[in-house]
Each structure stands twice: as structure tokens, then as C-alpha cells.
Amino acid sequence: MTIAGVLRNVRVLDLSTIVAGPATSMILADLGADVIKVERPGNGEDGRAMGPHRGPWGAYFTALNRGKRSIAVDIRKPAGREAVLRIAETCDVLLENFRGGKAAALGLDEPTMRARRPDIIYASLSAYGPGGPDYTRPGYDAILQARTGIMSITGTGDDTPIRSGVSILDMGTGVWMALGVVAALLERQRSGKGQRVDSSLFQTGVMLMSYHLLYRQFAGLNPRPQGSRHTAFAPYGAFQAADGTIMIGISSDKAFQRLSEALGAPEWAEDPRFRTNRDRVRNTVELDECITGILRSHPVSHWTAVLDRFDVANDPVQNPEEVMEDRQVAALDLLAQVELVGHEPALLPRLPIGLSLNPPAVQGPPPEVGEHTRTILREAGYSDTEIEEFERETVAQGKES
């Protein structure tokens, strides 16, 4: 039995590209929304070119655009822009991530959209936010990691600041934007009124820095990069075992006592250098050397078993291949197999949300460029003759009959 998604009656017009915007609409699609992805004719949106590739399918595009429908239409042409506006009349949500001012220049801004559908949810995702002196500046995940301070606390501090290895601001902003859209839809149910939803990589970065901003206020100095360590807890970090690396996290004195017993050094719990968390934070380097000296004697698998017996939080540092083979990934069925036209299928992570009545699900494969152009234009009231004219004039590009 197929369980309909909680957003099954919601239609989203997605004008966004690359990562953060498509991440937003991916979440909405997995929750059951009908997401119409607007792409330019020809090669489609820029995200399709981001590799590595399996045939024409790029890793980024495949991950973020599953279960959507694609319409290829040139929004720079009046007829293409009018087509988008007509489609918007049938939609509940419009999502865009144009650079500041570009939506208005294209005639696809909020007032124009709202004139066509007054109760539409206009979701605008940007780099720096909906206003301010940097409103029109270009920005990407790594740029905003630098600007919001994330890079100042990432790495070891021994070399050039580094960014997070995952697109935390792109993906994080996608989550916040999706949450905002769902909240706006709920409000429209109550009041019948649509509204604007804004989110940005800049705002997300500042939010993620919350503890570190308070650290500066409370401690009177800026936090420094800790590697895998933590400014508030010790021991906390990645430690070398005989054949790999294991992450250990200790958040209380009782947990440290259990760790000491697990490592065969119960005397540590009474050592003045390590007795309390504050003591351990002050003597982190010395404590880490003591722990590493013991861990190097056995492989990671030995220590995970020992530490689990003593109820100490730990896990091996795994690479992507190991994650895909992880027992917990299998137990929770976290990867969905998705077909890619003409090529081997791919395994994509499911949404990390559990809903007992309407569980989210990957609704299908990513679309080919313009795969659903003709169907979507027909839904907006265009005749087959008009659609054929669009294709002759390169206003639109379609694939299906």
C-alpha cells in the first residue's frame, strides 16, 4: 500500500538552482509535494554539470532533484516568462534563489506573482538575506562559512582555515526554508493568506555559530579551532588506534570514570589533572596523550567493543563506502535505490524524518531536462498547437508526447 505524503495536495514551482534551493524542494517533494522544476532549455540548470557523473547524471543533481518534474522554458523571453506566471497560478508555493534584484528584473518578483495568485507562498532563498548592504552580493557555501565565522573554528589552527567538508550552509538553509514553507502553508490554512518566506546562508551560518558567539561573550575571547576536540568537554575527539581512528566523547565525570575503567586506568578518575571536566579541559593535551598511548595497542574494532561494554560514547571514523555498508544504515533502511535512465541505479539518503502516518519517501528518479514540459504546459491551459509553437521558437523544450 502506498501512503500519500503529508504535502500531497501542495504544488511547488521551483525556480532555484545548484544546492540550497533544490535541497528545499527535495524535502518538499519527499514529503509528497508536486515539485515543478523550471530549467533553461538545452543543458538545464547549472547543477547538472556538477560532477562526478554517471553518464549525464551528476552527483549533486541526482541527490537533490529526485521525484521532481522538469519543465524547460526560457524565462528571459516574454512568452517563457508568461508561461511561468501561468503555471504559478496553479501552484501553492514559488521557490527562487535569484541573486538580489534579479527576480524583479525578470518580472518574477513577489508582487508580480501575488498579482497572479494572491495567496501564493513566495519563498526567497539567498546568500546574504532579503536586505542589508550585502543583499546583491554573490555568495556560496564556503564564502559564507568564512563570513559567519565557521571557518575560524574549523580545522586544527596550524594552517590556513578550512571549510566544513559538507555543504552545511546550503543544506542547512534548505532545511530552514522548507520549515518556513510548511509553517506558511499552515498559516494559510488558518487565515487564507499567503506570505513571503525568507532564509539565507548568512542567517543559517550565524545561527549555527550560536554557542561560539556565546563563548566569546562568556569567556571574553574568541574560540579557536580545536580539530576534533571540543572547547567545553574533555576528552572529546578523534584518537588513533592500531589500524584506524576512533571518535570518543565524554560529557560528564561519571562517563570519564567509565572510560578510565575501560582503558585499564581507573586511577585517572582520581588524578588531580583529570578529576573534573574543568580539570580535563585545562589538561587536554596531556590527557589525549595518555589515551592515545593505550588505544594504539589494539585495532578500532577491539576498542569499539570494549567501550560499548562500558557504555562510553564512541564510533569509528568511517568513509562513505563504510557508511553505505553500515549496519545501522541497513537497519533503518536509510538509502533508497533510485533508477537513472540508461545507467545503473543510485542509492540516495532518505529524509531523516519519521512520520508514523505519512512517512516521507523518495518519489522517483531525477528528471531529464524538460521531461515533463508538455504535460505541465497542458496543465496550465496551453494547447498542443501553442506548445509546438513554443518549441519551434525555442521558448520551451519538451521530451514526452
Side-chain angles (χ1 to χ4, degrees):
M1 177 180 177
T2 299
I3 301 174
V6 70
L7 297 182
R8 59 189 176 277
N9 296 319
V10 173
R11 176 176 277 196
V12 178
L13 184 60
D14 182 8
L15 298 170
S16 70
T17 63
I18 309 296
V19 179
T24 301
S25 55
M26 176 201 70
I27 295 169
L28 301 176
D30 280 9
L31 290 172
D34 174 17
V35 176
I36 298 172
K37 182 175 184 64
V38 179
E39 303 190 68
R40 63 171 175 263
N43 294 327
E45 75 124 304
D46 290 338
R48 288 185 182 270
M50 298 170 68
H53 286 77
R54 178 173 290 177
W57 303 104
Y60 268 103
F61 186 87
T62 301
L64 299 173
N65 290 282
R66 75 266 190 115
K68 303 177 186 179
R69 298 196 290 161
S70 171
I71 176 172
V73 60
D74 191 343
I75 60 176
R76 298 168 301 176
K77 296 181 178 180
R81 184 164 55 252
E82 173 58 24
V84 167
L85 291 170
R86 280 179 62 171
I87 295 167
E89 293 175 8
T90 72
C91 292
D92 302 284
V93 180
L94 180 133
L95 171 67
E96 56 89 359
N97 65 347
F98 294 123
R99 188 168 166 179
K102 186 175 179 181
L106 288 169
L108 299 173
D109 54 321
E110 182 191 4
T112 303
M113 290 292 179
R114 203 167 296 290
R116 305 293 286 259
R117 175 151 185 179
D119 67 347
I120 200 165
I121 308 301
Y122 191 93
S124 181
L125 192 153
S126 60
Y128 289 93
D134 296 324
Y135 169 60
T136 61
R137 296 185 71 209
Y140 298 98
D141 189 288
I143 306 299
L144 274 300
Q145 283 192 42
R147 177 68 176 272
T148 59
I150 292 172
M151 285 177 62
S152 77
I153 57 168
T154 304
T156 64
D158 297 329
D159 204 344
T160 303
I162 62 173
R163 67 174 180 87
S164 167
V166 296
S167 299
I168 55 172
L169 296 187
D170 280 329
M171 299 299 288
T173 304
V175 173
W176 288 120
M177 178 56 85
L179 177 61
V181 167
V182 171
L185 288 168
L186 180 60
E187 172 57 29
R188 194 177 71 174
Q189 264 191 342
R190 294 170 175 162
S191 67
K193 296 180 179 178
Q195 61 183 295
R196 182 185 178 98
V197 181
D198 281 289
S199 191
S200 68
L201 277 65
F202 184 78
Q203 291 165 281
T204 298
V206 172
M207 179 67 176
L208 291 178
M209 284 289 289
S210 56
Y211 163 75
H212 300 282
L213 300 180
L214 286 169
Y215 183 100
R216 174 63 182 85
Q217 297 170 63
F218 290 8
L221 67 158
N222 287 316
R224 296 187 56 77
Q226 299 293 313
S228 61
R229 293 174 179 161
H230 199 291
T231 57
F233 304 110
Y236 194 105
F239 296 88
Q240 286 301 120
D243 65 343
T245 309
I246 184 170
M247 185 75 185
I248 297 173
I250 299 298
S251 61
S252 70
D253 295 338
K254 287 185 177 180
F256 179 67
Q257 183 176 351
R258 296 197 301 273
L259 173 67
S260 301
E261 293 171 356
L263 298 184
E267 67 276 8
W268 287 353
E270 297 303 323
D271 189 315
R273 299 170 298 170
F274 310 142
R275 187 175 295 125
T276 69
N277 184 62
R278 286 189 178 184
D279 296 330
R280 295 191 294 275
V281 170
R282 282 195 296 267
N283 296 287
T284 294
V285 174
E286 193 171 355
L287 177 57
D288 285 1
E289 290 174 352
C290 292
I291 293 172
T292 300
I294 294 174
L295 292 178
R296 286 187 183 276
S297 64
H298 293 288
V300 169
S301 59
H302 169 84
W303 290 119
T304 56
V306 170
L307 295 174
D308 281 353
R309 284 204 306 272
F310 283 83
D311 198 27
V312 173
N314 78 96
D315 258 320
V317 176
Q318 297 193 137
N319 60 38
E321 180 179 2
E322 292 166 328
V323 171
M324 289 189 287
E325 297 172 350
D326 190 284
R327 67 191 184 195
Q328 192 70 0
V329 169
L332 298 179
D333 192 23
L334 295 186
L335 299 177
Q337 182 170 292
V338 173
E339 299 299 320
L340 300 178
V341 176
H343 295 273
E344 292 181 29
L347 294 174
L348 303 184
R350 302 181 191 275
L351 283 193
I353 302 171
L355 295 174
S356 60
L357 293 180
N358 306 100
V362 176
Q363 301 293 332
E368 296 181 78
V369 179
E371 182 177 345
H372 308 95
T373 296
R374 296 173 188 171
T375 297
I376 294 167
L377 288 174
R378 289 186 191 113
E379 291 170 356
Y382 285 96
S383 68
D384 287 346
T385 300
E386 290 173 308
I387 294 170
E388 290 168 4
E389 178 65 19
F390 277 175
E391 292 175 353
R392 281 195 298 272
E393 298 295 326
T394 66
V395 171
Q397 170 192 331
K399 292 187 71 70
E400 87 289 11
S401 59

